[in-house]
Amino acid sequence: MESSAPRSPSLVAEVLPWSRVHTISFATFAAGAALEAYVYALSYVAVSWAPVPRAFLPLLAIWSPLWILSGGVLSGVIADRLGRRTSLYVNYALYISGAVLLSIASSFAVLLSSLSLLLFAAGGEYNSILTASHELFPRTHRAKALALGLNFANAGGIVVALLSWSASRVAVAATAGAAAVILLALRLRVPESVMWLERRSGPGRAALELRRYGSEPASPVSPPPSTGAPSSALRFVAFSAMGWSYTATFTMVSLALGPYFMPTATDLLILVASAAAFASGLLGFLFDRAGRRLPLVVSSSASFVLLALLVSLGSSSASLFWPTFAALNASLNVFWLLEDVLKSEAWPVSSRGTLTALVRASSLMAVLPIVYLSSYLSLDDYLALSLGAASVGLVASIIWYRWGVETGRGSSVLIWDRRTR
């Protein structure tokens, strides 16, 4: 393990005051999260664009997680080996290619092919955002900046739902392609991670990159304290369980519920879910102060209780279904933001991209059989299974509260490079 001198560029980078570079990075990552969610939700809306036999609906349900996780793993490896910026070239080339193919898709096979390109790019870009954010933003703002940026993913779902009502397939696909071109131009203005450069090329190269930030630390720089940290195995299992719980619950309740049981309300379900989630994401302003452990337990508990209420309602009360559905998606969103921040910050710099991707991939891979098989259940059994998925997140949050460490409240992300066990 490499030690960090008191004036190492890595330490300086995370105590810099907020600057223009941070603002550009935030805007780019927020727009990238929105595009990722736009593509993810698009795969569920696209079922109406080409004749799809009912037997193939489960395939569409697992198509998104499958390609998202594949893109994330490749991007994570590239980010650790070649740099946080390098993977973006592949991601955006796939975005643009997939958007062009989607605009001309007239068959089920071409539709799936175009979605696979878009989803692969989306998974890679999302993993890049998670990896780079902790190393680019100042420590007093990084959780807030990442959470608020990721929250724009909900805006992507809102845009998909609105466009699917009022625009053609070509317009929806062209929106994704145009957004990818604009984001590529913005991402070229985001510097490389100083922390990654210092570990790959030494402090000299990292110090040169640090000049691009255009600011100086407002206070003396000191190394983060060593900390007794949970084992890598505990972190991996806890984070994977949280990610699996969120992905399974969100996919079943917010996305697949429409195509499976309420096909005429699919767009409305996505719109309500995305709007409620976006509103709750404003709580991200508190993430740097509130920490991670207790809010994870609170948000996962709220999600479990609200989903239990939704299960008890079943199809008997439409008037109570929609407010409960909205509140559930709000609490799920807070849980998602917290667990995404946590699972991408608690790793050493040299392996952050790969380990973050592997945690996400393990969660998504485990979701696939559940989502696939759930399409053959009745509505009541389907909702009961989603409740079981939500309970896994609650248990994992309690485990982290008991045996994890607090990573919020301005703590350095470099503590994971200095862990004592």
Side-chain angles (χ1 to χ4, degrees):
M1 183 181 300
E2 299 172 6
S3 62
S4 297
R7 287 292 299 180
S8 76
S10 295
L11 291 168
V12 174
E14 69 169 359
V15 297
L16 291 175
W18 191 270
S19 69
R20 183 169 176 269
V21 165
H22 298 121
T23 300
I24 292 173
S25 300
F26 173 80
T28 305
F29 294 160
L35 181 57
E36 186 268 350
Y38 181 96
V39 170
Y40 191 76
L42 182 60
S43 64
Y44 292 88
V45 173
V47 297
S48 62
W49 292 356
V52 181
R54 177 66 174 81
F56 282 98
L57 283 179
L59 176 61
L60 282 178
I62 68 172
W63 200 251
S64 293
L66 179 63
W67 287 99
I68 287 280
L69 72 88
S70 300
V73 170
L74 178 61
S75 180
V77 173
I78 292 175
D80 285 339
R81 301 235 177 141
L82 302 178
R84 309 317 194 200
R85 298 183 69 204
T86 302
S87 62
L88 70 90
Y89 300 108
V90 175
N91 294 336
Y92 286 109
L94 292 173
Y95 263 140
I96 296 169
S97 300
V100 171
L101 187 61
L102 182 63
S103 67
I104 62 175
S106 58
S107 67
F108 182 48
V110 178
L111 179 68
L112 286 184
S113 298
S114 61
L115 289 175
S116 67
L117 292 174
L118 288 167
L119 291 163
F120 193 92
E125 174 65 4
Y126 192 81
N127 202 76
S128 297
I129 292 171
L130 290 179
T131 303
S133 293
H134 294 294
E135 300 169 9
L136 291 177
F137 294 126
R139 69 168 70 168
T140 54
H141 299 290
R142 63 181 178 84
K144 173 173 55 186
L146 177 55
L148 293 174
L150 293 180
N151 192 48
F152 275 85
N154 297 302
I158 294 173
V159 172
V160 167
L162 293 176
L163 281 178
S164 66
W165 280 339
S166 59
S168 67
R169 177 185 64 193
V170 174
V172 174
T175 299
V181 172
I182 295 171
L183 279 175
L184 176 59
L186 286 174
R187 281 297 297 264
L188 292 174
R189 303 179 64 186
V190 176
E192 181 58 273
S193 163
V194 171
M195 296 181 187
W196 180 84
L197 272 177
E198 184 168 8
R199 281 149 185 77
R200 295 291 294 188
S201 304
R205 175 76 184 281
L208 289 175
E209 190 73 4
L210 186 61
R211 296 177 183 176
R212 296 183 61 185
Y213 288 78
S215 58
E216 293 292 333
S219 58
V221 181
S222 58
S226 298
T227 180
S231 67
S232 297
L234 176 62
R235 279 178 277 163
F236 193 92
V237 172
F239 301 164
S240 296
M242 291 180 198
W244 178 88
S245 174
Y246 166 76
T247 305
T249 306
F250 174 76
T251 301
M252 293 176 65
V253 175
S254 305
L255 296 179
L257 182 65
Y260 287 172
F261 300 104
M262 304 169 66
T264 60
T266 297
D267 296 341
L268 182 59
L269 284 166
I270 293 176
L271 179 61
V272 171
S274 299
F278 185 81
S280 71
L282 297 178
L283 291 173
F285 279 107
L286 305 176
F287 279 14
D288 286 303
R289 297 180 181 179
R292 314 280 185 270
R293 294 191 299 171
L294 182 59
L296 274 168
V297 174
V298 172
S299 59
S300 59
S301 299
S303 298
F304 181 83
V305 171
L306 287 166
L307 185 52
L309 177 59
L310 197 69
V311 171
S312 68
L313 291 174
S315 57
S316 61
S317 177
S319 61
L320 291 178
F321 172 85
W322 288 107
T324 305
F325 180 78
L328 170 61
N329 278 277
S331 61
L332 275 174
N333 186 67
V334 174
F335 177 68
W336 162 63
L337 292 175
L338 286 164
E339 61 97 5
D340 256 12
V341 170
L342 176 62
K343 72 185 177 191
S344 55
E345 71 184 341
W347 307 109
V349 172
S350 60
S351 55
R352 187 187 315 284
T354 301
L355 291 174
T356 298
L358 290 177
V359 168
R360 295 182 67 235
S362 66
S363 301
L364 290 167
M365 187 64 73
V367 163
L368 300 185
I370 298 296
V371 174
Y372 184 88
L373 294 174
S374 66
S375 65
Y376 299 101
L377 299 176
S378 66
L379 177 59
D380 289 341
D381 290 341
Y382 182 91
L383 291 175
L385 179 61
S386 67
L387 182 62
S391 70
V392 172
L394 175 57
V395 172
S397 299
I398 293 172
I399 289 174
W400 185 254
Y401 182 82
R402 172 63 181 83
W403 288 285
V405 297
E406 185 55 73
T407 55
R409 304 191 181 105
S411 62
S412 170
V413 75
L414 294 172
I415 62 173
W416 304 99
D417 286 56
R418 300 172 59 85
R419 61 186 295 271
T420 58
R421 63 179 176 88

